[in-house]
Every structure is written in structure tokens, then in C-alpha cells.
Amino acid sequence: MLEKINNDLKVAMKEHDTFKLSVLRMLKSALQLEQISKKHELDDNEISSVIKKQVKLRKDSIAEYEKYNKIDNVKELEKEIEILSTYLPKEMSYEEIVKVVDEVITEVKPESIKEMGKVMKRLNEELASKNADMSLVSSLVKEKLS
């Protein structure tokens, strides 16, 4: 995955695609920071998790910019998310997420909302390699345990 990012970075340089180039440079620096903190080469799962964090940061920023009606910034962040998303596996559909949540709840058998942590821990293990919207997962679990 890192190789693909580096190749795309070179292509963006050759094509003078400054926007994509800046997004990929930000991603690469985030990956390097993560690699320094982990003190080892990142595997594809770790790279994926860094990219997911970058996408989440941008989604959070979009929500803030929309509050203040800064449409230009929102469009720019959406383009950045689009570029970053090309490196992530296809996001799970709502139906797939509901199915996994139901399976884990029947497996864990929580007795109340107080055991949501156990369910979420198990779901994190289950969905770690898949691209699932964890805020959606969390809200589904709350809804089903209430």
C-alpha cells in the first residue's frame, strides 16, 4: 500500500497535480509520524488505520465548516476525502454493518447498555480489517441495547 502511495505521489508530481500532491504529502507525513511512534515499518492494516484517521479528521472538519457556511472549504475537504478513500477498502454497507452488529450481540449476549464496551471491543476486532463507519456501528449498538 505504501508503494502505491509513493507511486501516486510521483505521478502527481509529474502531472503537476498540486492538489493531489499536497494531499498525498500530508498523508505520507502522517504515515511517517505513525511509523516513528510505533518504531517499526507499518503494515497495510496500520496504514489503513492512519488513512481512516485522516478521513475522519476531514469529515469532522466538514461538519464544523458547514456550521459556519464555509462552502469552499467543505468542497476542498470532500476532494481530499475522495483522494484518501481510493487507498481504503470499499466501505461496508449499512446492511452489512447491521448484520455484523446483530451477530456480535447474539454472540456476546449483553444484559444491558452497561455492557456496550464488551460488544464494541468485539466489533472492533471483527471490523478492524474492513472499512466500517464506527460511529454508525456505535449508534446501532446503543439503539439495540436500549
Side-chain angles (χ1 to χ4, degrees), residues 44-144:
D44 282 354
N45 281 340
E46 291 169 322
I47 291 173
S48 250
S49 111
V50 170
I51 296 171
K52 285 178 192 173
K53 285 179 193 168
Q54 293 296 312
V55 168
K56 185 180 183 323
L57 282 172
R58 284 161 178 79
K59 284 183 179 177
D60 293 345
S61 296
I62 285 176
E64 286 298 311
Y65 283 130
E66 284 175 340
K67 278 184 196 173
Y68 300 105
N69 209 20
K70 298 200 174 209
I71 305 304
D72 294 342
N73 298 60
V74 170
K75 288 179 182 172
E76 197 170 291
L77 288 169
E78 286 171 345
K79 283 186 206 169
E80 289 181 19
I81 290 172
E82 196 176 302
I83 291 170
L84 292 171
S85 295
T86 60
Y87 301 102
L88 292 172
K90 191 177 131 295
E91 197 165 273
M92 290 178 73
S93 70
Y94 179 80
E95 291 77 22
E96 292 170 319
I97 292 174
V98 169
K99 183 180 175 210
V100 174
V101 167
D102 288 339
E103 287 171 2
V104 169
I105 286 177
T106 44
E107 177 187 315
V108 175
K109 296 181 180 98
E111 294 178 21
S112 71
I113 190 89
K114 291 178 183 172
E115 295 181 352
M116 182 178 169
K118 290 180 186 175
V119 176
M120 287 304 295
K121 182 178 181 201
R122 181 71 185 93
L123 282 165
N124 276 328
E125 294 166 3
E126 190 76 29
L127 301 172
S129 62
K130 300 174 180 119
N131 191 11
D133 181 355
M134 292 310 285
S135 59
L136 172 64
V137 171
S138 175
S139 64
L140 281 171
V141 171
K142 276 183 193 161
E143 181 184 307
K144 291 185 183 287

